Amino acid sequence: MSAEEELQEHAREAKEPFDKRVAATMAIIAATLAVVSVSGQIMTTHELLAQAKASDMWGEYQGKSIRRSSAEATKDLLSTSKSDEALAAKYGKKIEHYAKDEEDIRKKAEEFEKESETAGKKALWLHFGEVFLEVAIVLSSLAILTKRNFMYWAAVLSGAVGVVLGCLALLV
């Protein structure tokens, strides 16, 4: 074996640890990406479900409001015609009941809207984290292809940013 061939073989062996380190880092980034991606999808689903619940509550609120308005009109009609006062009082109680129900429903609807908004913010942070983790995978691949240490550290940095953004979703 010539000296030149021996040097080339040593050069290849010296780069193998680099490839192994990058591959191991890439595997860790890929696993983290899977967790962040699934978490983002779960948060998006949670956001949509909470918004649907809020919409349902607002529909119920509108129904109660219509019933209250109808009861108010009936009570006013009964009051002006000086007919059965007990019947007018019955509608007065219904008005109070509908007004209380409206308030309770409004509060629930607003809670679901807040829950949806919070889940949406968390999902956004998770999706941003996902993008940085995906970029880290690409940079890791480039590091292996180009054998550039700079690309490896850029991948590590991008992965770290992705992890931080994913963790920030917990604080929202």
Side-chain angles (χ1 to χ4, degrees):
M1 183 179 271
S2 72
E4 185 176 323
E5 289 173 346
E6 196 172 325
L7 283 173
Q8 287 177 353
E9 187 176 326
H10 286 297
R12 274 191 294 255
E13 289 174 10
K15 289 186 180 180
E16 276 186 39
F18 176 78
D19 290 350
K20 288 179 182 178
R21 181 176 45 151
V22 175
T25 303
M26 191 184 297
I28 292 167
I29 292 170
T32 306
L33 172 62
V35 171
V36 171
S37 178
V38 169
S39 298
Q41 292 169 1
I42 290 170
M43 275 302 136
T44 299
T45 302
H46 187 74
E47 173 190 16
L48 295 174
L49 287 174
Q51 187 58 48
K53 289 177 183 178
S55 294
D56 290 347
M57 291 277 90
W58 285 121
E60 191 175 336
Y61 176 88
Q62 187 176 15
K64 292 286 183 178
S65 179
I66 290 169
R67 288 185 192 129
R68 182 182 46 77
S69 295
S70 177
E72 285 173 346
T74 303
K75 181 184 175 205
D76 289 345
L77 186 63
L78 290 172
S79 296
T80 57
S81 68
K82 304 281 193 234
S83 59
D84 190 3
E85 288 187 25
L87 189 57
K90 176 183 169 187
Y91 278 99
K93 288 181 182 178
K94 283 187 177 189
I95 292 167
E96 291 173 14
H97 174 73
Y98 290 142
K100 183 189 177 302
D101 284 352
E102 280 180 50
E103 184 62 23
D104 293 342
I105 293 168
R106 182 187 61 78
K107 286 178 183 175
K108 285 180 186 176
E110 288 173 351
E111 286 174 16
F112 283 129
E113 284 178 339
K114 287 178 186 174
E115 187 177 322
S116 174
E117 185 180 329
T118 301
K121 287 178 183 177
K122 287 181 180 186
L124 185 63
W125 281 103
L126 288 164
H127 292 313
F128 283 142
E130 185 178 350
V131 168
F132 277 92
L133 289 164
E134 288 173 358
V135 168
I137 295 283
V138 171
L139 291 172
S140 295
S141 299
L142 286 173
I144 288 175
L145 292 173
T146 63
K147 308 292 188 218
R148 302 278 182 193
N149 212 21
F150 169 77
M151 287 292 189
Y152 170 72
W153 289 109
V156 169
L157 178 63
S158 181
V161 170
V163 169
V164 167
L165 290 174
C167 289
L168 285 175
L170 300 174
L171 301 175
V172 173

